[in-house]
Amino acid sequence: MTSTHGGHHGTGHGQPTGTGGERRNGFGIAALVLGIVGVLLFWTALGGIVLGLLAVVFGVLGFRRARRGVATNGTMAIIGAVLGALTLVVSAVLLALGVAVINSDEFKSYQDCIEQANSQSERQDCARDFDREVDER
């Protein structure tokens, strides 16, 4: 089976092959998969930041391969990179908010209260006080 793309022979599945063999679509596929998994796990440091960053890197590499003509999934690579970037941004914002809460005076006060509480009722009072202090802020 032959392809109309540059006179190269096809793979038998309607996909043209690059010079020297099969198209190399691994980076684009990896970018999309990592981007989707990152979106699902954005609330975790590993899922959001690490997978998001990897999706962006693989997406850029996959897009470059597609632009050079050695891969056929440039759109998939771009979608993976965009999902990765969005995941990275949202996770970074959540991480920054979490650090801000943990470093706040209200949270330190809550921790002190919990450490001194002797019963479940006192711990619940600590939680109510913390919620009230945060709401007043």
Side-chain angles (χ1 to χ4, degrees):
M1 175 182 273
T2 60
S3 170
T4 59
H5 300 291
H8 296 291
H9 291 287
T11 63
H13 299 289
Q15 292 293 321
T17 58
T19 307
E22 297 285 324
R23 298 281 183 160
R24 300 180 341 179
N25 289 324
F27 283 148
I29 293 167
L32 185 60
V33 170
L34 290 168
I36 290 170
V37 174
V39 165
L40 295 174
L41 299 175
F42 75 93
W43 49 274
T44 66
L46 175 67
I49 294 174
V50 175
L51 295 179
L53 184 60
L54 288 173
V56 169
V57 169
F58 285 130
V60 169
L61 292 173
F63 178 73
R64 284 181 164 178
R65 279 188 177 177
R67 200 171 60 193
R68 285 193 323 258
V70 296
T72 59
N73 61 351
T75 302
M76 184 183 295
I78 290 170
I79 292 169
V82 168
L83 288 174
L86 290 172
T87 300
L88 190 59
V89 168
V90 171
S91 294
V93 168
L94 287 176
L95 182 62
L97 287 172
V99 168
V101 167
I102 289 173
N103 289 330
S104 70
D105 291 335
E106 292 84 4
F107 188 74
K108 290 175 184 164
S109 175
Y110 171 72
Q111 283 181 309
D112 291 340
C113 183
I114 289 292
E115 288 173 5
Q116 295 172 6
N118 294 320
S119 68
Q120 182 64 28
S121 171
E122 289 177 356
R123 286 188 282 281
Q124 288 173 344
D125 289 340
C126 293
R128 273 192 293 276
D129 290 344
F130 176 70
D131 288 341
R132 185 175 28 80
E133 289 176 11
V134 169
D135 288 341
E136 290 173 359
R137 207 167 189 214

